[in-house]
Amino acid sequence: MDQGILSIFICEILLKWYGGFFTYWKVGWNLFDFVIVAASLIGPSLTFISNSRILKVLRVLRAFRSLRSISALRPLQLVVQTIIQSLPDMANILLLLLIFMFVFAVIGVSLFAEYSPEYFGNLETAMFSLFICVTLDGWVEIFNTLRADQFPFASIYFTVFILIGAFILINLVVAVVVTNLESAIAEQDELDLQQKTGREKETLLVYSNYTIPVLCVDT
């Protein structure tokens, strides 16, 4: 079954090459398919490699064949393409979040290092603790550690950080992806409509050029 599915993928690539070899390499998803299939072919064939780590890596690449479903399913392809296009905007927001976390990490080390060294003993542990707070998973344990010592600024510190870091900046990342996805869907719908209109015009043009012969009967 494994070889049969791989044979289907190879036949698909050969058919696309037959339809246009140079055009095939201009589409990014075709390159993605080619790399996945090539990795599936190379992995089992390189048994002569003495380095077992390289051989294991090549064999693991065969598992990526399931990613070919991305190019086969159009909605999934649109989602992945939107996420890739959103990376520059998300990078700017994540950079802002990183700077914000760094500032609060410095504040946290200055205020809480003596009371909670396991969470704010140094800058590295403070950044990791703030990352836990951003994910909103496990921040209560960190907060209770400081609250048990009745530190007065703990509530204000965590409230401000979670409000800005988790609720605003992280949601901005989601908003960027959703906005780009809506734009991509609208562009795809417009493109489909243009293609449909073009096919209808071609059909009307064919019928307009078709003349029905008329028999003339002399009386």
Side-chain angles (χ1 to χ4, degrees):
M1 183 177 180
D2 186 54
Q3 297 298 328
I5 295 175
L6 182 59
S7 300
I8 294 175
F9 292 159
I10 295 174
C11 291
E12 179 187 0
I13 293 177
L14 293 177
L15 289 174
K16 288 183 178 180
W17 283 357
Y18 179 77
F21 181 80
F22 296 102
T23 307
Y24 176 86
W25 303 104
K26 296 180 181 179
V27 180
W29 289 105
N30 290 338
L31 296 176
F32 177 78
D33 292 342
F34 180 81
V35 171
I36 297 299
V37 174
S40 301
L41 291 173
I42 294 175
S45 61
L46 296 181
T47 55
F48 58 87
I49 296 180
S50 57
N51 193 337
S52 60
R53 292 184 178 180
I54 298 177
L55 183 59
K56 289 180 180 179
V57 170
L58 292 175
R59 287 178 176 175
V60 168
L61 288 176
R62 298 173 61 191
F64 285 93
R65 253 182 301 178
S66 59
L67 296 177
R68 288 197 73 259
S69 60
I70 295 176
S71 60
L73 300 175
R74 189 174 180 182
L76 186 59
Q77 177 180 345
L78 185 62
V79 171
V80 174
Q81 186 174 353
T82 301
I83 294 176
I84 295 175
Q85 292 176 350
S86 303
L87 288 179
D89 296 330
M90 289 192 296
N92 294 330
I93 299 175
L94 292 177
L95 179 61
L96 179 61
L97 176 61
L98 184 62
I99 296 174
F100 180 73
M101 289 176 59
F102 179 79
V103 172
F104 266 73
V106 173
I107 297 174
V109 171
S110 302
L111 296 178
F112 309 133
E114 181 180 356
Y115 296 90
S116 181
E118 66 274 18
Y119 294 114
F120 293 96
N122 51 51
L123 190 61
E124 181 181 354
T125 56
M127 288 288 289
F128 182 72
S129 301
L130 292 178
F131 175 76
I132 295 176
C133 295
V134 166
T135 61
L136 298 178
D137 185 17
W139 70 272
V140 177
E141 181 181 354
I142 302 175
F143 175 72
N144 288 335
T145 303
L146 296 173
R147 191 176 63 175
D149 296 329
Q150 297 181 353
F151 199 80
F153 297 105
S155 300
I156 299 176
Y157 178 85
F158 281 93
T159 300
V160 173
F161 179 79
I162 292 177
L163 181 63
I164 298 178
F167 291 156
I168 296 179
L169 293 178
I170 294 299
N171 287 329
L172 280 177
V173 175
V174 178
V176 167
V177 177
V178 172
T179 302
N180 290 337
L181 181 60
E182 291 177 351
S183 301
I185 292 175
E187 292 177 359
Q188 188 64 44
D189 291 341
E190 183 178 357
L191 181 61
D192 293 341
L193 181 60
Q194 292 177 355
Q195 292 177 352
K196 182 179 179 181
T197 304
R199 288 193 297 267
E200 291 178 352
K201 289 181 178 179
E202 291 178 358
T203 303
L204 292 175
L205 183 62
V206 170
Y207 280 109
S208 62
N209 294 331
Y210 180 75
T211 57
I212 301 177
V214 178
L215 296 177
C216 299
V217 180
D218 295 333
T219 55

